[in-house]
Amino acid sequence: MVYVIKVGGNVIDNPALLDRFLADFAAVPGKKILIHGGGKIATRIGDKLGIESKYIDGRRITDADTIDVVTMVYGGLVNKQVVAQLQAKGCNAIGLTGADANIIPAVKRPVKTIDYGFVGDIPAGAVQAAPIKLLLDAGLTPVFSPLTHDGNGQILNTNADTIAASLAVALSAHYPVRLIYCFEKKGVLRNAADDDSVINLINRDIYKTLLAEGVLSDGILPKLDNAFSAIESGVKEVLIGHANDVRNNTTEAVAGTLIC
């Protein structure tokens, strides 16, 4: 089994939570990959440089100045700090972007009603699994920042959830894969106001029933849609759970929501 684990920005932003998460991640046995977001660090660095962050519907507009900032922060500062902390915890990590070894070629998002700037979308089948397999088989743990490239020299800002799913799908041709999304909730909740109302198992039939009952929060629906899309593309299992439960969620005794 290969574990493809994505950790959210809320953990990246909190040094204590990040230290605990990385200790747990380092202790996960076997082959694993980490994908991290950027949190709010790029916004803080941009503010210091006089580069204003712009958002539409919660999505960052990545103009020419902003792509320079996120490349420095995501691919440099955050990625190398995470790698250094993993090394300190006995995990032989290697920091990467999608441009390295041409692992994740992407295309610049076309302008429709909104111009998102230098934002990348990953075409189906674009991820190159062979270089990742070489690293994993050599005992290294790849750590990906949320950056891809267009093949013509341009770095692109790309959603970390999407990168995680694309990597998991590509690797599923070579290994059984569990894709794990770690965030601030314990899993998919039956009642959004009750953190303990975790639904431990969801398949397509259960998902249809939950949708019909209207019990799921709108925010979790994109994660579930991505999860089922990954499974339909070859990923064995997807797990959605709390960052503090990553050790449990790499076992059969999962603490979050297993989607299969």
Side-chain angles (χ1 to χ4, degrees):
M1 178 76 76
V2 170
Y3 300 104
V4 177
I5 301 173
K6 186 265 177 174
V7 62
N10 288 338
V11 177
I12 294 293
D13 285 333
N14 186 313
L17 287 180
L18 179 61
D19 184 70
R20 172 176 173 172
F21 171 81
L22 292 177
D24 289 340
F25 176 85
V28 171
K31 294 179 171 65
K32 57 199 174 190
I33 295 174
L34 181 62
I35 302 93
H36 63 79
K40 298 173 183 174
I41 300 170
T43 300
R44 293 199 297 269
I45 298 293
D47 288 344
K48 291 179 180 179
L49 296 172
I51 299 169
E52 180 186 1
S53 297
K54 305 179 185 71
Y55 296 87
I56 296 179
D57 297 330
R59 296 183 178 183
R60 186 188 293 272
I61 303 299
T62 309
D63 59 18
D65 288 334
T66 303
I67 192 63
D68 287 347
V69 172
V70 299
T71 300
M72 289 188 292
V73 174
Y74 298 168
L77 180 64
V78 175
N79 187 263
K80 300 313 172 191
Q81 285 181 340
V82 167
V83 168
Q85 289 179 62
L86 285 173
Q87 294 291 356
K89 299 177 191 307
C91 177
N92 195 7
I94 180 169
L96 299 165
T97 71
D100 294 295
N102 192 33
I103 291 173
I104 314 176
V107 295
K108 186 174 179 289
R109 183 170 298 168
V111 178
K112 295 179 180 177
T113 56
I114 299 169
D115 183 357
Y116 285 101
F118 295 103
V119 168
D121 295 320
I122 305 171
V127 173
Q128 306 297 304
I132 313 171
K133 189 171 183 297
L134 283 173
L135 295 172
L136 291 172
D137 291 347
L140 295 169
T141 296
V143 177
F144 281 91
S145 59
L147 300 168
T148 58
H149 76 124
D150 69 355
N152 295 304
Q154 179 62 57
I155 291 286
L156 298 169
N157 185 16
T158 301
N159 180 272
D161 283 359
T162 302
I163 288 177
S166 298
L167 288 167
V169 168
L171 288 168
S172 68
H174 304 277
Y175 312 94
V177 175
R178 180 181 290 181
L179 170 60
I180 303 175
Y181 288 112
C182 297
F183 70 144
E184 66 277 5
K185 299 290 184 181
K186 293 181 179 179
V188 179
L189 305 179
R190 182 173 288 276
N191 177 358
D194 180 3
D195 283 346
D196 292 321
S197 63
V198 177
I199 304 166
N200 293 116
L201 179 69
I202 297 178
N203 58 27
R204 272 289 186 190
D205 290 338
I206 295 172
Y207 188 32
K208 290 176 183 176
T209 300
L210 293 168
L211 287 174
E213 293 173 353
V215 299
L216 299 175
S217 65
D218 290 342
I220 202 67
L221 297 181
K223 286 190 186 301
L224 287 168
D225 289 338
N226 284 338
F228 282 111
S229 177
I231 287 169
E232 288 161 4
S233 298
V235 175
K236 183 180 179 183
E237 300 164 337
V238 182
L239 194 291
I240 299 174
H242 200 287
N244 289 348
D245 293 326
V246 68
R247 284 294 307 280
N248 275 341
N249 288 337
T250 56
T251 70
E252 295 306 311
V254 299
T257 300
L258 188 65
I259 297 153
C260 56

